[in-house]
Amino acid sequence: MASESNKKRVDSASRIIKASTQTIYKAFVDPRALVLWLPPKGMKGHIFEFDARAGGAYRISLSYIGTDHPVEGKTSEDTDVSKGRFLELTPGERIVWSVEFESEDPVYAGEMIMTWTLTAVPEGTNVTVVCENVPEGIRKEDHDVGLRSTLENLAEYTE
């Protein structure tokens, strides 16, 4: 059972962003916006499929820029390709999506659930992301850096 509990790892991050909940929500459901802020620093994104509605599917790649990157990609040496579904879209409040990495390596297998919560605060919006069932191949330290970087990008994009 110990290995089963390892597969159920939860990572999270949050940041207060000086923008309204509606402005931030729009950045999630517009594929042109999402591809700009979602990739952590040092990566670029590409959207293959994007149907932003409950039950709708998406497929996206995040690729390292250049050859000097600290972590190898999950799908290829420099790229992570993931697919998933939008499980919940509550305007101005919450976005929930599933993520499955396209990888030959079983340490990246399984469905991760990412829940983004948008809470209005006097300074703007507190954006919290909770990732459940994080694949064991993703080092916690790397994931924490990536989540913080993504939130920083979202702040830069929406502020």
Side-chain angles (χ1 to χ4, degrees):
M1 275 297 185
S3 65
E4 187 64 24
S5 66
N6 290 343
K7 288 187 176 186
K8 302 298 180 196
R9 189 177 96 215
V10 176
D11 293 346
S12 65
S14 68
R15 178 185 175 118
I16 292 177
I17 297 177
K18 295 174 183 154
S20 72
T21 58
Q22 289 301 328
T23 296
I24 292 171
Y25 180 81
K26 286 178 189 169
F28 277 87
V29 296
D30 176 353
R32 293 177 307 270
L34 186 79
V35 79
L36 293 175
W37 65 261
L38 184 66
K41 299 274 189 257
M43 298 186 91
K44 63 182 177 184
H46 179 78
I47 292 182
F48 302 99
E49 178 182 358
F50 192 84
D51 183 8
R53 64 180 172 83
Y58 72 88
R59 186 165 176 261
I60 188 169
S61 69
L62 303 179
S63 300
Y64 288 99
I65 299 168
T67 56
D68 183 30
H69 45 87
V71 183
E72 192 168 299
K74 296 166 193 64
T75 307
S76 69
E77 184 178 324
D78 65 351
T79 301
D80 299 346
V81 178
S82 61
K83 63 181 179 180
R85 292 180 331 278
F86 291 95
L87 303 176
E88 179 185 333
L89 292 166
T90 305
E93 294 179 23
R94 204 165 120 107
I95 301 98
V96 183
W97 63 47
S98 67
V99 179
E100 290 184 68
F101 294 101
E102 294 180 9
S103 179
E104 306 258 328
D105 192 332
V107 299
Y108 298 116
E111 180 180 66
M112 178 171 65
I113 304 296
M114 296 182 79
T115 302
W116 302 81
T117 305
L118 314 178
T119 307
V121 295
E123 305 91 328
T125 301
N126 185 22
V127 179
T128 301
V129 57
V130 176
C131 306
E132 300 173 81
N133 196 29
V134 178
E136 63 183 89
I138 300 174
R139 288 187 33 219
K140 178 160 179 43
E141 300 80 11
D142 296 334
H143 204 210
D144 289 345
V145 168
L147 292 173
R148 285 194 307 271
S149 179
T150 292
L151 286 171
E152 183 180 326
N153 293 343
L154 179 59
E156 290 171 5
Y157 182 81
T158 57
E159 292 177 350

